[in-house]
Amino acid sequence: PYASKDWVPSYEKEGRPPAYFTMDDWETMPVIPGFGTDRNYFWGNIPARDMLNTPINEGDSIKNLDLNLCFAGTAFLQLHDAPRLTFSGRLASGDPRNVIKTLNGLPLDYSGRCTLVVNDYHPQVAIRNLVILGMLLDPSGPPIELAAEAVLHTLYSTSLTSSQYGMVEKWMELVGKFGQRRSQPFNGKLEFNSDAALAWWYPEQVASLLHLIKAASYSKVQGEADRRRVMISPQRLDYRETYFIKLRPRHRIAYSHWLDTGILLPFGQPVDSFDKPNRLLYSEHGEWLLTDHDSPVFAWDPLEVEKTRKEMGLPEEDYFGSLFFHITQELMNFISRARRFNLSVHLFSVDLNLLPQVLDATMEGTQKLMFDRVEASNVMDTTGPSSIISAWGPRLNRRNRNAALLMYSMNYYTKVKGGLITSQPPEKYRKMMMDLSAYLGNQKNRTSPNMASMHSIMQDTEAFFDTRPAFMEYLRQQGVPYACKEAKVRQRKIPRILPARIGVGLRDYDSPKITITPEEFYFIGDVSYPTWYERFVEFEMAE
């Protein structure tokens, strides 16, 4: 039925309100309530970003520069029974996609020394980072294309082929040998050649979890049963179909097929050979560790995926096929650079704001690391921005005027007056609705007079809401001006790396609404499904 242009959600066809409009859900419902194991953000929910953007920053001079880049990850929030951790708040880190995207922003003839610091407090994310980066860096592994495909499935597929499973097992065994001493830190270093090395400084709990994952005995059938329980639960049909409302018919089919198989492949490709469970997406007991609204679709820029589709002449309707080839190419580009560059990778699993001190302790006797970029994800949503500025502002490289501290927020609007679109006067809200109507024209899935379309329109209107005043007020209330003064940094008035919000370009930083075309809106707003409240901010050294 999803292939029909006249398709409507089940609740519309059955003449009942959707589940998220019932009183039981309404009082506690976030934008998309979770179902499954929440707070394990293995796939992220913001598209991969290049944290260098060299064309308007270092430019051609970057070819010879030594670079220190920090992906500072998540913060400690709440510790439960070891070795498992749970988190509050939505921390959109989870995989090394920004590391991959950023290194790919360097030219192939880069001749400097590049040091990457990658941190994530979540122990299973820390394990994933170690295994995946090891697979990408190892020059003795399979050919580049096979290595890239193995990493893609390790990142995003629920099951693996026997050979892919063997690669993951090999790396878990290899790094696990460094963590066999109980009550001792889990540290190690692997040198691939004279120019590339991978080192890690993890707490003992990461080693404990790794041993549990390695010793797990659940089968693919058991793991798949739990994934299906979460991802295609009948009681969650209304939530899935609310997303499907926005998709074009053929994209609905592709998405439904991915939900059914759990394998990120072009539509129609056989999946029989994927007969092993991907242990890095499950608990040691075979529990699926994501929620039913998690998807690799949200982790990569949909406009870039569409560009890949056009360049490769792929079928328009198979978004997951385009995503497969796009990610594979990104991974191949990363491998080509990582195995050619003078590259040193350092992995940590500590609180983001403690990482500077940990860096100094673990690298005692070497020159203090100062960074050309520090990416702090959306940790400001849980710790506040000021503590991050205080910890990382002083660590910006004073010799590079392009050095920057980058972060973003996804829930600031809940903490300041006027942050939500519903707080606006009725006449202002009506004006935004009219702007949306004029912008979208006669797109049927938004103009049909039914409950599903009205819900979609309410969400889309937020793209025309000026979120800047509330965000600036939030930064003020959080003491950012004072923190900047103390750390000798300043907020950039004009961003040079990340657009101020989703749906605008770098030059449109002060636009009160989105500036993309309606066709771009389909991919960014409907396929990628942002909240439209996300705000990005950059800090640089004060003169």
Side-chain angles (χ1 to χ4, degrees):
Y2 294 137
S4 172
K5 62 181 180 180
D6 297 318
W7 171 85
V8 294
S10 300
Y11 54 81
E12 194 73 42
K13 189 161 47 176
E14 296 166 10
R16 60 175 175 81
Y20 47 82
F21 281 168
T22 64
M23 290 303 294
D24 288 344
D25 284 338
W26 186 253
E27 292 182 0
T28 58
M29 185 190 75
V31 176
I32 307 176
F35 183 79
T37 307
D38 203 3
R39 303 184 179 99
N40 294 310
Y41 303 111
F42 295 163
W43 292 339
N45 45 25
I46 294 291
R49 307 283 184 175
D50 171 11
M51 300 301 168
L52 288 170
N53 196 11
T54 57
I56 64 170
N57 288 285
E58 287 85 356
D60 290 339
S61 68
I62 205 165
K63 291 180 181 179
N64 306 311
L65 291 179
D66 290 341
L67 294 170
N68 296 327
L69 311 174
C70 180
F71 301 84
T74 55
F76 169 73
L77 298 174
Q78 186 177 4
L79 177 64
H80 287 270
D81 295 337
R84 284 274 162 214
L85 294 177
T86 61
F87 296 81
S88 60
R90 195 176 189 194
L91 301 176
S93 183
D95 66 21
R97 66 195 186 283
N98 287 341
V99 178
I100 293 162
K101 190 71 179 170
T102 300
L103 198 75
N104 287 348
L106 289 172
L108 276 170
D109 59 351
Y110 173 73
S111 60
R113 173 74 176 173
C114 184
T115 299
L116 302 177
V117 172
V118 183
N119 176 62
D120 202 295
Y121 198 91
H122 193 300
Q124 193 141 336
V125 174
I127 293 169
R128 279 163 49 87
N129 284 342
L130 177 53
V131 170
I132 287 163
L133 287 169
M135 292 167 68
L136 290 169
L137 291 169
D138 183 11
S140 67
I144 287 178
E145 188 169 357
L146 290 179
E149 195 168 329
V151 169
L152 177 147
H153 289 299
T154 304
L155 281 168
Y156 299 121
S157 290
T158 182
S159 304
L160 304 174
T161 66
S162 294
S163 62
Q164 293 162 0
Y165 184 86
M167 287 180 64
V168 174
E169 288 288 292
K170 167 195 165 184
W171 273 96
M172 288 199 294
E173 285 293 331
L174 178 62
V175 300
K177 293 177 181 178
F178 291 86
Q180 295 180 339
R181 293 175 297 171
R182 291 188 176 275
S183 303
Q184 293 293 319
F186 177 27
N187 304 337
K189 184 175 183 179
L190 296 170
E191 294 184 349
F192 299 104
N193 52 48
S194 60
D195 291 331
L198 173 66
W200 63 97
W201 289 264
Y202 284 166
E204 186 269 337
Q205 63 183 2
V206 177
S208 298
L209 179 58
L210 175 60
H211 291 311
L212 290 174
I213 293 172
K214 285 166 50 185
S217 59
Y218 62 89
S219 66
K220 182 208 167 176
V221 172
Q222 290 172 302
E224 179 64 4
D226 198 64
R227 185 195 71 85
R228 294 178 70 87
R229 176 189 65 82
V230 172
M231 300 301 285
I232 53 177
S233 167
Q235 73 188 80
R236 298 287 290 182
L237 178 63
D238 291 356
Y239 295 90
R240 288 194 299 277
E241 292 192 339
T242 293
Y243 175 57
F244 284 6
I245 293 165
K246 292 173 164 285
L247 299 182
R248 292 169 180 168
R250 293 295 181 182
H251 286 168
R252 291 185 206 128
I253 294 174
Y255 203 99
S256 180
H257 179 70
W258 171 76
L259 285 173
D260 186 54
T261 67
I263 312 298
L264 180 51
L265 278 173
F267 190 82
Q269 288 289 309
V271 298
D272 295 346
S273 62
F274 289 80
D275 56 358
K276 301 289 186 182
N278 182 354
R279 298 194 186 280
L280 296 181
L281 292 180
Y282 291 93
S283 77
E284 64 273 23
H285 306 298
E287 300 162 312
W288 180 246
L289 290 179
L290 291 101
T291 66
D292 65 330
H293 61 262
D294 287 317
S295 170
V297 165
F298 307 145
W300 295 88
D301 188 329
L303 296 184
E304 294 184 1
V305 174
E306 177 65 0
K307 181 181 177 183
T308 297
R309 182 195 69 77
K310 291 178 178 178
E311 290 174 349
M312 299 184 69
L314 302 172
E316 184 176 353
E317 60 269 19
D318 186 11
Y319 189 85
F320 278 86
S322 302
L323 183 63
F324 170 85
F325 287 109
H326 178 74
I327 299 173
T328 300
Q329 189 59 58
E330 289 282 1
L331 292 170
M332 290 174 63
N333 291 343
F334 181 88
I335 294 171
S336 297
R337 286 165 170 77
R339 296 180 183 179
R340 179 180 301 185
F341 291 173
N342 190 331
L343 183 66
S344 179
V345 182
H346 306 269
L347 305 181
F348 295 87
S349 184
V350 299
D351 182 285
L352 173 146
N353 288 330
L354 294 178
L355 182 56
Q357 297 98 293
V358 174
L359 277 170
D360 293 344
T362 55
M363 298 183 179
E364 189 175 2
T366 62
Q367 188 174 359
K368 187 174 183 177
L369 277 180
M370 305 297 284
F371 292 94
D372 301 279
R373 301 289 190 278
V374 177
E375 188 264 320
S377 189
N378 66 321
V379 176
M380 65 189 289
D381 284 335
T382 50
T383 68
S386 292
S387 63
I388 301 172
I389 293 167
S390 298
W392 289 101
R395 299 304 291 254
L396 292 182
N397 180 9
R398 302 280 155 176
R399 297 180 180 179
N400 182 356
R401 62 185 180 85
N402 298 292
L405 167 61
L406 313 165
M407 60 181 94
Y408 67 95
S409 175
M410 300 179 73
N411 65 26
Y412 64 91
Y413 60 89
T414 65
K415 302 174 183 179
V416 292
K417 185 178 179 181
L420 279 165
I421 192 172
T422 51
S423 67
Q424 302 304 301
E427 62 275 10
K428 198 170 182 179
Y429 189 83
R430 282 194 297 270
K431 173 65 166 57
M432 287 184 280
M433 293 275 283
M434 291 173 63
D435 288 345
L436 173 68
S437 178
Y439 171 81
L440 292 175
N442 295 319
Q443 295 185 30
K444 184 175 179 183
N445 68 323
R446 290 185 176 83
T447 57
S448 300
N450 57 48
M451 189 181 302
S453 296
M454 288 305 297
H455 181 71
S456 179
I457 290 169
M458 289 168 61
Q459 290 181 315
D460 293 341
T461 304
E462 290 163 340
F464 289 78
F465 177 46
D466 187 358
T467 57
R468 187 173 185 270
F471 183 60
M472 296 303 291
E473 175 61 16
Y474 165 77
L475 295 180
R476 187 192 67 78
Q477 290 184 12
Q478 290 289 318
V480 165
Y482 178 77
C484 285
K485 183 179 179 181
E486 291 294 300
K488 297 181 180 178
V489 297
R490 64 189 177 196
Q491 182 181 343
R492 278 183 178 162
K493 294 180 179 179
I494 302 176
R496 301 215 306 267
I497 298 172
L498 302 176
R501 66 180 296 186
I502 291 173
V504 304
L506 273 177
R507 295 180 179 179
D508 305 319
Y509 61 93
D510 59 350
S511 175
K513 59 185 179 182
I514 59 170
T515 58
I516 51 178
T517 67
E519 176 65 10
E520 291 172 331
F521 185 97
Y522 170 72
F523 288 99
I524 293 175
D526 296 344
V527 174
S528 197
Y529 207 51
T531 68
W532 296 117
Y533 285 100
E534 299 89 348
R535 294 291 309 195
F536 300 82
V537 62
E538 303 175 16
F539 298 91
E540 63 185 1
M541 293 167 293
E543 294 179 356

